[in-house]
């Protein structure tokens, strides 16, 4: 749930095991392959196999649609499925509903060991081809794998590429969208002594051709209620390192300043929060910054994002501030 009575002013320029049915393909919500389809990098050598071949289809589990790895199971009629899904279907063939038993499809296992296959994210732009057993390891870290929705206020299971998720955040979660690399937000809460872990807020910024998620929330740090603000980069970790950001909060002649590198949305919201990688404000300090009778939270958080550029002469990073 959102912070109650929040004013955000920016100056910035969602399977039942008994009803499991076979699938024949899987899709990721995505706008288009990240390589735009300009280069046909999915062509493979004589020892490799393309996604359209019948052998590749034979190795696709009819339940989860993932590639099957030994042990591969089959029913008395020859229908196959992976070992994980054998448990899910309660030992009944999902195709003919016959008892599965403990029959292994050794011939298909041998075929699998000899193959080279494209990454399962080939439709999202990955051009890589791997030996069968190396493919799984690559897919866990593939740069083209879909991202999870960064919205932390609900159990959102939507995945996709960055343009898809930006539209999803805007249209489905009604997240505020701003353009520019500076921000000036005011957070107001009528009863700051009611601190819950689910009390939070999210804003998306677009600058330098990239998207950033600014999080602000209240939670219990041990026994102490705190407020925390941090930035996440909508892209991979190696790209996130190209940017830096600062956050500042203060009043009455005092201020707290945080400078750091935005974390990739590959790291979950909870992982970043629990690492304390951001601006943390104790409640007493937050109320002091709020002024007045200290019974209402009125925090103004300002900040900026900049891109680190390599100095060709000295080899050191220099900030590139947007106008």
């Amino acid at each position: 749930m959102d912070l109650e009575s929040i004013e955000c002013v920016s100056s910035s320029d969602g399977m039942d095991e008994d009803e499991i049915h076979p699938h024949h393909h899987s899709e990721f919500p995505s706008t288009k392959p990240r390589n735009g389809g300009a280069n046909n990098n999915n062509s493979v050598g004589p020892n490799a196999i393309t996604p359209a071949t019948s052998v590749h289809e034979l190795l696709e589990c009819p339940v989860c649609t993932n590639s099957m790895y030994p042990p591969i199971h089959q029913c008395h009629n020859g229908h196959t499925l992976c070992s994980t899904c054998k448990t899910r279907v309660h030992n009944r063939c999902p195709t003919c509903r016959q008892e599965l038993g403990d029959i292994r499809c050794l011939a298909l296992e041998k075929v699998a060991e000899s193959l080279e296959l494209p990454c399962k994210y080939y439709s999202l732009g990955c051009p890589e081809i791997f030996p069968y057993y190396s493919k799984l390891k690559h897919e866990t870290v593939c740069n083209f794998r879909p991202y999870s929705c960064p919205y932390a206020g609900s159990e959102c299971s939507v995945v996709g590429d960055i343009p898809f998720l930006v539209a999803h955040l805007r249209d489905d979660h009604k997240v505020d969208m701003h353009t520019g690399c500076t921000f000036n937000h005011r957070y107001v809460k009528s009863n700051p002594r009611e601190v819950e872990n689910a009390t939070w807020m999210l804003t998306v910024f677009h600058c330098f051709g990239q998207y950033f998620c600014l999080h602000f929330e209240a939670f219990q740090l041990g026994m102490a209620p705190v407020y925390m603000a941090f930035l996440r980069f909508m892209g991979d970790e190696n790209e996130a390192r190209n940017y830096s950001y600062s956050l500042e909060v203060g009043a009455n002649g005092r201020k707290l300043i945080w400078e750091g590198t935005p974390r990739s949305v590959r790291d979950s919201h909870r992982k970043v929060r629990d690492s304390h990688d951001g601006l943390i404000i104790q409640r007493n300090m937050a109320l002091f910054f709020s002024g007045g009778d200290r019974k209402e939270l009125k925090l103004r958080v300002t900040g900026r994002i900049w891109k680190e550029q390599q100095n060709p002469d000295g080899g050191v990073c220099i900030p590139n501030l947007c106008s």
Side-chain angles (χ1 to χ4, degrees):
M1 58 183 170
D2 294 343
L3 286 170
E4 68 178 36
S5 303
I6 286 259
E7 176 186 356
C8 177
V9 181
S10 175
S11 64
S12 64
D13 326 330
M15 190 183 300
D16 189 338
E17 291 182 345
D18 293 328
E19 294 295 332
I20 294 178
H21 302 287
H23 300 290
H24 298 290
H25 68 280
S26 83
E27 297 179 355
F28 296 102
S30 173
T31 52
K32 60 183 179 178
R34 283 171 57 177
N35 63 2
N39 298 316
N40 185 14
N41 291 326
N42 291 326
S43 59
V44 297
N47 295 325
I49 182 169
T50 63
T53 64
S54 59
V55 177
H56 180 269
E57 292 171 355
L58 285 173
L59 287 169
E60 185 179 272
C61 175
V63 176
C64 66
T65 72
N66 293 324
S67 298
M68 295 185 290
Y69 292 82
I72 298 175
H73 298 273
Q74 70 175 34
C75 73
H76 292 281
N77 292 324
H79 303 125
T80 58
L81 80 165
C82 70
S83 57
T84 300
C85 291
K86 183 175 183 288
T87 303
R88 294 181 61 199
V89 299
H90 306 300
N91 208 37
R92 285 184 301 168
C93 175
T95 304
C96 67
R97 313 304 291 176
Q98 296 296 311
E99 186 86 15
L100 281 170
D102 293 310
I103 306 173
R104 293 270 296 275
C105 187
L106 299 179
L108 196 55
E109 290 181 6
K110 289 293 185 183
V111 170
E113 293 173 359
S114 66
L115 292 179
E116 291 184 346
L117 295 173
C119 170
K120 73 177 180 180
Y121 302 122
Y122 72 92
S123 64
L124 299 181
C126 183
E128 301 295 336
I129 303 295
F130 294 93
Y132 199 76
Y133 289 103
S134 301
K135 182 166 125 28
L136 281 180
K137 183 177 180 180
H138 160 78
E139 288 170 352
T140 62
V141 295
C142 177
N143 287 336
F144 292 89
R145 71 192 189 278
Y147 296 86
S148 297
C149 173
Y151 192 85
S154 65
E155 296 299 325
C156 185
S157 59
V158 169
V159 297
D161 61 13
I162 297 304
F164 174 87
L165 289 181
V166 169
H168 166 68
L169 288 170
R170 181 192 63 229
D171 300 336
D172 299 330
H173 294 300
K174 310 303 180 185
V175 169
D176 286 338
M177 300 280 173
H178 298 282
T179 299
C181 60
T182 62
F183 42 89
N184 183 354
H185 282 195
R186 187 168 61 149
Y187 301 94
V188 180
K189 186 171 175 61
S190 59
N191 189 353
R193 299 193 178 278
E194 295 179 0
V195 177
E196 299 177 3
N197 287 340
T199 304
W200 70 279
M201 192 170 184
L202 171 65
T203 308
V204 172
F205 290 88
H206 181 241
C207 58
F208 302 108
Q210 306 289 346
Y211 290 92
F212 301 83
C213 295
L214 176 63
H215 295 264
F216 182 84
E217 64 182 88
F219 63 99
Q220 294 286 148
L221 183 56
M223 298 297 293
V226 299
Y227 297 92
M228 182 175 178
F230 57 90
L231 196 73
R232 288 201 291 166
F233 173 75
M234 296 189 70
D236 286 324
E237 182 181 358
N238 59 335
E239 299 176 88
R241 295 193 188 107
N242 295 325
Y243 302 91
S244 297
Y245 75 102
S246 66
L247 295 172
E248 180 178 316
V249 61
N252 300 321
R254 282 88 169 171
K255 63 183 175 181
L256 293 174
I257 299 176
W258 166 269
E259 287 193 3
T261 301
R263 296 282 287 271
S264 166
V265 291
R266 294 287 191 202
D267 290 337
S268 70
H269 161 269
R270 181 172 293 275
K271 179 179 180 180
V272 179
R273 191 198 73 181
D274 291 349
S275 71
H276 307 158
D277 191 3
L279 175 64
I280 296 179
I281 312 160
Q282 298 289 337
R283 184 174 63 187
N284 286 339
M285 181 64 74
L287 291 174
F288 176 76
F289 287 158
S290 298
D293 55 10
R294 299 168 63 92
K295 292 182 179 180
E296 184 179 44
L297 178 74
K298 292 181 179 179
L299 280 181
R300 184 174 295 279
V301 178
T302 62
R304 62 186 176 92
I305 305 166
W306 66 90
K307 185 174 183 179
E308 302 287 0
Q309 284 191 331
Q310 203 72 21
N311 186 334
D313 297 325
V316 296
C317 290
I318 55 176
N320 177 25
L321 303 180
C322 65
S323 58

